[in-house]
Amino acid sequence: MTDALEIRGLEVSIGQKKILHGLDLTVKQGEVHALMGPNGSGKTSLAYTLMGHPDYHVDAGTITWKGESLLGASPSKPGMSPDKRARLGLFLAFQYPSSIPGVTVASFLRNIYNAVHHPKQPAPTETGQVPKYTGIPLAKFRKLMEEKMALLHIDPAFASRYVNDGFSGGEKKRLEMLQMAVLNPTMAILDETDSGLDIDALRAVAEGINATLNPEMGVLMITHYQRMLNYVKPQFVHVLLNGKIVMSGGDELSHQLEANGYDWVREQVGALATAGDEAPEPVIQHV
């Protein structure tokens, strides 16, 4: 299988603390997966590990994307750097995006586009001089950006503002969706994109996600609550407890979680709430 993000037996720690305990998951291009779980279950740790955050140490297991390993040859060797993962088509939307005062949205978007899609310096000329690197032509990029802003119903004036500087929570998350639309990744990891949003902002962000979905892009959508899934419909829902996926099913599973809570999951699979308890093999809910 070469069109999927495949995670097998993944064990991850931060310092001396084990976070993920033998996690297994497969997300194919064109599929939307929701990963749900309570605070501290390891959802964001998985997202950061997938993008190569240096603080998250992979102790065991494998991560392959389109048949290529993202990890080092051994746990002691570093894996693929975040920029290389981005160039392979991986994208992470942050739960808490940082502000960058003094850098406009337009400049930021063009720079990340060039970093992902035009990373190589031009070849030297016959005289040995290296031409000045410009990346995508400015006019071409401006057209691309304006098309994506129109797709997401974002005011063009947004482009001249500084990145996340004075932005509301909804504006920050919409900028994450604009980045995703501009970069056009083939695997998007959305880390609690619904966090801190009111109902209007949530609907706007969800519309942005839906507008960007396509058969070439897989999505791993991380969330606490079912409300985002009212707008972005996943084909698969997984429940993460104590660093391991313990239950998987269809969209109906998210409604069961909303109605019954995570204690219901613990009762179903026999998992204990205390950290460090070994989670059982996943229960597949045919819903």
Side-chain angles (χ1 to χ4, degrees):
M1 185 183 301
T2 60
D3 61 346
L5 176 67
E6 294 188 277
I7 306 167
R8 295 290 179 268
L10 186 63
E11 298 183 11
V12 173
S13 59
I14 302 177
Q16 299 300 313
K17 184 178 181 181
K18 181 80 75 173
I19 305 296
L20 300 180
H21 303 267
L23 187 145
D24 297 309
L25 180 65
T26 299
V27 182
K28 299 179 182 179
Q29 287 179 253
E31 294 180 346
V32 178
H33 290 242
L35 182 65
M36 305 182 72
N39 282 329
S41 57
K43 302 184 301 298
T44 294
S45 294
L46 173 62
Y48 283 6
T49 300
L50 292 176
M51 284 307 298
H53 193 299
D55 289 346
Y56 293 79
H57 186 267
V58 176
D59 301 311
T62 61
I63 305 174
T64 57
W65 167 232
K66 295 185 176 181
E68 186 169 351
S69 175
L70 301 183
L71 305 180
S74 67
S76 62
K77 295 184 178 180
M80 191 179 294
S81 62
D83 60 305
K84 290 182 179 179
R85 298 183 194 212
R87 288 197 285 272
L88 275 180
L90 290 176
F91 171 81
L92 172 61
F94 290 103
Q95 181 180 358
Y96 302 110
S98 299
S99 61
I100 313 177
V103 177
T104 65
V105 167
S107 176
F108 174 72
L109 291 174
R110 185 167 181 247
N111 274 280
I112 65 171
Y113 182 89
N114 282 333
V116 170
H117 296 292
H118 295 280
K120 293 183 178 180
Q121 292 289 338
T125 64
E126 293 181 357
T127 62
Q129 295 180 332
V130 178
K132 182 180 179 180
Y133 174 71
T134 58
I136 183 174
L138 183 58
K140 183 177 180 180
F141 177 76
R142 175 69 64 172
K143 181 181 179 183
L144 171 66
M145 181 182 68
E146 290 175 350
E147 288 175 352
K148 299 304 183 182
M149 294 179 83
L151 177 68
L152 302 182
H153 305 290
I154 294 176
D155 188 335
F158 201 73
S160 62
R161 297 175 64 183
Y162 295 149
V163 174
N164 292 323
D165 190 23
F167 281 23
S168 67
E171 288 174 327
K172 290 180 179 180
K173 299 303 175 69
R174 294 189 76 188
L175 178 53
E176 295 292 291
M177 296 307 98
L178 179 57
Q179 291 176 53
M180 182 169 70
V182 167
L183 292 177
N184 192 28
T186 45
M187 183 59 63
I189 304 156
L190 311 181
D191 186 16
E192 299 196 31
T193 306
D194 54 343
S195 176
L197 301 184
D198 61 30
I199 190 64
D200 292 328
L202 176 67
R203 187 181 295 113
V205 170
E207 289 173 354
I209 296 172
N210 286 326
T212 310
L213 293 177
N214 64 78
E216 300 301 316
M217 183 173 73
V219 176
L220 178 59
M221 189 164 47
I222 296 170
T223 182
H224 282 299
Y225 306 111
Q226 192 270 333
R227 61 177 190 160
M228 173 61 93
L229 309 187
N230 288 330
Y231 301 101
V232 183
K233 298 293 186 181
Q235 294 104 326
F236 306 93
V237 176
H238 311 279
V239 182
L240 188 66
L241 285 177
N242 298 331
K244 190 172 185 179
I245 291 176
V246 297
M247 185 177 286
S248 295
D251 181 49
E252 182 59 29
L253 178 55
S254 68
H255 295 277
Q256 292 177 299
L257 286 171
E258 184 74 9
N260 302 312
Y262 291 108
D263 283 341
W264 169 77
V265 176
R266 295 182 181 102
E267 292 172 0
Q268 291 289 307
V269 301
L272 299 176
T274 54
D277 289 322
E278 185 177 355
E281 292 304 308
V283 172
I284 307 300
Q285 297 285 318
H286 297 286
V287 293

